[in-house]
Amino acid sequence: MSDGKLVSETKSKAVTMCDFDCSFKAELSKVAGVENLKFCYQCGTCTADCPIARVSKDFRPRTIMRMTQLGMKERIFEDNKIWLCAACFTCVDHCPQGVDIAGVMRALRNQAVKEGKIPKTFVDIKNNIHKSGLAYDIPDMRKRKRVENGLPELPIANSQEISKLLNLVAKSKEPKTENN
Amino acid sequence: MTDLKYLFFLGCVIPYRLASFEVSSRKVLEKLGVELEEMPEANCCGLPLDSVDHESMLVLAARNLCFAEQKGLDVMTLCPGCAGTLRKVNKLVQEDKAVKEKINGYLKEVGLKLEGGKIRVRHLLQVLSEDIGYEKIKQAVINPLTDLKVAEHIGCHVLRPKKYIGFDDPENPVILKQLIEATGAQSLDYMYKTDCCGAPIIGVNDKLSLQIAGDKLKNIKKVNAQALITVCPFCQMMFDTNQKRIEQALEEKFGIPVLHYPQLLGLAMGLDPKDLAINELRVKATNLLNKN
Ligand code: SF4
Ligand code: SF4
């Protein structure tokens, strides 16, 4: 079970006050989806029902929720564990406190990306969307084959317009680090 | 009620990797009297970018919804990821003024505007079970697959999060089961039936991903299912395209064909397996075809 690839084993070490980053905590709490995190009372339902936690002892949504409440930024990001969430939403449907756990994971990932920690697959997807509007670069051969097989031609999206929209979104975040 | 006409949102992964899902769905829907209008302007639903930047996802989804509003038609998708994302954003814009203003602020720059909630977003499964209805499907079945015992994997995004989807019961789903039974086949229960397939983390940690899918296949094999039925492109690829890799990782042979539900229904409707692109499956369904 040590073929961690992107994800390595979490080393356990004692927590000290230096681990809490208040500005990180404050910034995250403004993000949509994170509002209910303060209601988490650590019951553990999310971890118990998580399909990833079932096969990996490195991934514990309850722990991540607590670390996020406390602003333990370094620990949260240290081994890329946040990218293990499958966004299956099982925990979201089961949490007795209405915490949008998958939403918190998403906010954490968005934050990691802002700091330059973005897995390669997502870079590719983003570039493809700018180029063609679609997440994958569909080869011309496959587009021709569609038509040969009697399927309608693949519509061509206005990629300039799409790119413009995405750039506007990116730009709106540049000057102040305001995020909503 | 609807007049069974939809704007067809194809998404990215189906034209990229999984024409068989599209081919079989189009064939079956046409036979059932559904009219599909091609979406002339569409882009990625936005879901893949949600992890990178939430607002980019919102804007991408919203742009698609604008065109649907312009057409005044309900949207139908085959991909549960697209369906869930478009539906969520449709609802969010309708209910949350701040989100609506923010998104429209961007859209204005390219001459678009989104109302929200004006049209509905339907996944194939809803079109089949609610809009067409079991009765009509049963009537179309001329070749009931009565000897066939299958397992189903519905996929998370068809049903979750409940707050946005509100369709079937994610803890005890019955709709796919009923649709399978409408073909005459039997849908067997198995352990971890409603669990994730593992596909979303394939590329982040392949080993875990293959193990999750493998655990499911083990349980499917245990109940002697002759095939696995899916309604999501990612789940289907996880179990079909990756089945060899799963077998290697778990050192166990499965050989379970993984059909898109419309392929199963098409067979029961007497359609030619070739027209349903069944030959494109990685794990061949030869045994199954000989039987029926
Ligand atoms: S299920 Fe909800 S309340 Fe319980 S630990 Fe998880 S996030 Fe906290
Ligand atoms: S959404 Fe993520 S954390 Fe929640 S149960 Fe699914 S994989 Fe686990």
Side-chain angles (χ1 to χ4, degrees):
Chain A
M1 288 293 298
S2 55
D3 168 45
K5 296 254 162 81
L6 226 91
V7 179
S8 63
E9 307 262 320
T10 314
K11 289 160 230 57
S12 53
K13 48 184 185 237
V15 176
T16 70
M17 283 305 281
C18 311
D19 290 324
F20 305 152
D21 180 333
C22 291
S23 62
F24 171 72
K25 199 169 117 179
E27 191 170 335
L28 262 185
S29 66
K30 285 187 281 179
V31 178
V34 182
E35 306 90 349
N36 288 353
L37 176 62
K38 57 180 176 291
F39 297 131
C40 168
Y41 54 26
Q42 292 288 292
C43 68
T45 304
C46 47
T47 294
D49 297 349
C50 173
I52 307 298
R54 198 177 68 226
V55 291
S56 167
K57 61 179 177 353
D58 292 335
F59 186 71
R60 293 286 180 265
R62 172 179 66 164
T63 314
I64 297 174
M65 292 309 108
R66 186 65 179 143
M67 292 198 293
T68 310
Q69 282 179 329
L70 295 170
M72 296 170 68
K73 183 175 169 183
E74 298 279 307
R75 293 273 189 119
I76 293 168
F77 291 153
E78 80 183 351
D79 55 4
N80 283 313
K81 57 182 160 291
I82 50 166
W83 297 94
L84 274 182
C85 166
C88 73
F89 304 126
T90 308
C91 55
V92 180
D93 280 349
H94 291 186
C95 172
Q97 288 294 86
V99 179
D100 181 358
I101 299 128
V104 175
M105 297 286 182
R106 184 201 67 218
L108 291 169
R109 287 177 180 184
N110 283 188
Q111 190 60 36
V113 170
K114 266 198 205 162
E115 296 178 17
K117 291 172 236 150
I118 174 169
K120 163 108 179 27
T121 7
F122 290 100
V123 178
D124 294 344
I125 287 175
K126 200 171 151 186
N127 290 340
N128 288 333
I129 295 178
H130 273 278
K131 227 166 51 192
S132 70
L134 299 183
Y136 306 103
D137 186 12
I138 303 177
D140 287 342
M141 192 205 58
R142 203 155 306 172
K143 289 183 195 158
R144 277 200 302 275
K145 209 173 149 216
R146 278 180 67 81
V147 183
E148 279 165 28
N149 290 342
L151 291 172
E153 244 172 72
L154 202 63
I156 298 168
N158 183 340
S159 54
Q160 272 172 327
E161 189 177 301
I162 294 158
S163 206
K164 183 175 173 186
L165 277 172
L166 290 176
N167 288 337
L168 282 168
V169 174
K171 208 164 159 224
S172 79
K173 292 174 183 178
E174 267 168 19
K176 296 161 269 159
T177 34
E178 207 176 63
N179 181 26
N180 232 319
Chain B
M1 281 302 282
T2 71
D3 55 356
L4 298 182
K5 182 172 176 180
Y6 306 89
L7 204 55
F8 188 20
F9 183 83
L10 198 51
C12 306
V13 75
I14 292 170
Y16 182 50
R17 298 279 299 271
L18 222 50
S20 55
F21 195 10
E22 183 186 351
V23 168
S24 54
S25 299
R26 283 186 189 271
K27 270 270 147 34
V28 164
L29 290 172
E30 187 193 329
K31 270 243 164 186
L32 290 166
V34 172
E35 196 185 329
L36 296 179
E37 186 169 324
E38 305 305 316
M39 201 152 167
E41 247 298 351
N43 51 260
C44 167
C45 72
L47 181 62
L49 284 194
D50 201 22
S51 285
V52 177
D53 175 58
H54 183 55
E55 228 168 77
S56 300
M57 178 282 279
L58 292 175
V59 164
L60 286 174
R63 183 174 181 272
N64 291 314
L65 291 167
C66 285
F67 299 119
E69 281 190 355
Q70 283 171 13
K71 288 264 177 197
L73 279 174
D74 286 349
V75 171
M76 188 203 75
T77 83
L78 303 179
C79 175
C82 301
T85 305
L86 295 179
R87 185 173 340 197
K88 180 176 168 177
V89 175
N90 197 26
K91 196 168 169 179
L92 214 58
V93 169
Q94 184 185 18
E95 292 171 359
D96 189 326
K97 264 212 166 108
V99 173
K100 184 174 181 169
E101 246 169 56
K102 180 129 211 169
I103 292 182
N104 275 322
Y106 294 121
L107 291 173
K108 200 174 72 198
E109 301 292 321
V110 294
L112 294 170
K113 186 170 187 284
L114 184 64
E115 257 338 294
K118 267 173 78 180
I119 49 104
R120 299 183 306 166
V121 180
R122 318 285 284 160
H123 178 253
L124 170 75
L125 216 53
Q126 291 173 302
V127 169
L128 289 167
S129 65
E130 292 176 353
D131 300 353
I132 299 173
Y134 299 105
E135 276 320 303
K136 203 167 159 194
I137 289 174
K138 272 189 204 148
Q139 280 165 21
V141 169
I142 55 166
N143 174 32
L145 310 168
T146 32
D147 288 335
L148 197 63
K149 289 188 172 66
V150 301
E152 66 182 66
H153 171 85
I154 194 158
C156 307
H157 291 177
V158 179
L159 307 175
R160 298 188 194 278
K162 204 171 168 46
K163 179 176 154 200
Y164 288 111
I165 310 287
F167 167 69
D168 206 351
D169 176 2
E171 309 309 328
N172 183 24
V174 293
I175 286 172
L176 184 54
K177 193 180 176 82
Q178 285 167 357
L179 282 170
I180 289 171
E181 280 163 5
T183 69
Q186 196 186 331
S187 175
L188 304 168
D189 282 332
Y190 63 97
M191 202 160 101
Y192 301 146
K193 183 171 123 175
T194 54
D195 272 20
C196 171
C197 66
I201 59 159
I202 197 130
V204 177
N205 187 319
D206 289 8
K207 188 172 173 173
L208 293 178
S209 177
L210 297 172
Q211 192 185 336
I212 291 171
D215 283 347
K216 291 202 70 152
L217 284 174
K218 273 184 189 216
N219 288 307
I220 289 163
K221 188 173 145 188
K222 253 186 220 152
V223 297
N224 290 321
Q226 293 156 280
L228 177 62
I229 309 301
T230 61
V231 284
C232 168
F234 291 98
C235 303
Q236 200 274 349
M237 291 195 301
M238 189 66 215
F239 291 117
D240 181 50
T241 319
N242 284 317
Q243 201 171 119
K244 273 257 136 57
R245 284 182 72 193
I246 298 169
E247 289 179 336
Q248 277 160 9
L250 273 72
E251 293 178 4
E252 183 171 345
K253 187 104 190 77
F254 297 112
I256 298 170
V258 188
L259 275 71
H260 310 288
Y261 175 75
Q263 294 183 316
L264 183 81
L265 177 58
L267 289 175
M269 285 163 69
L271 294 170
D272 187 335
K274 254 200 230 106
D275 290 339
L276 298 166
I278 288 186
N279 54 340
E280 283 179 28
L281 298 177
R282 205 61 77 81
V283 181
K284 294 298 165 208
T286 346
N287 289 347
L288 212 113
L289 296 179
N290 294 341
K291 208 165 268 167
N292 285 285

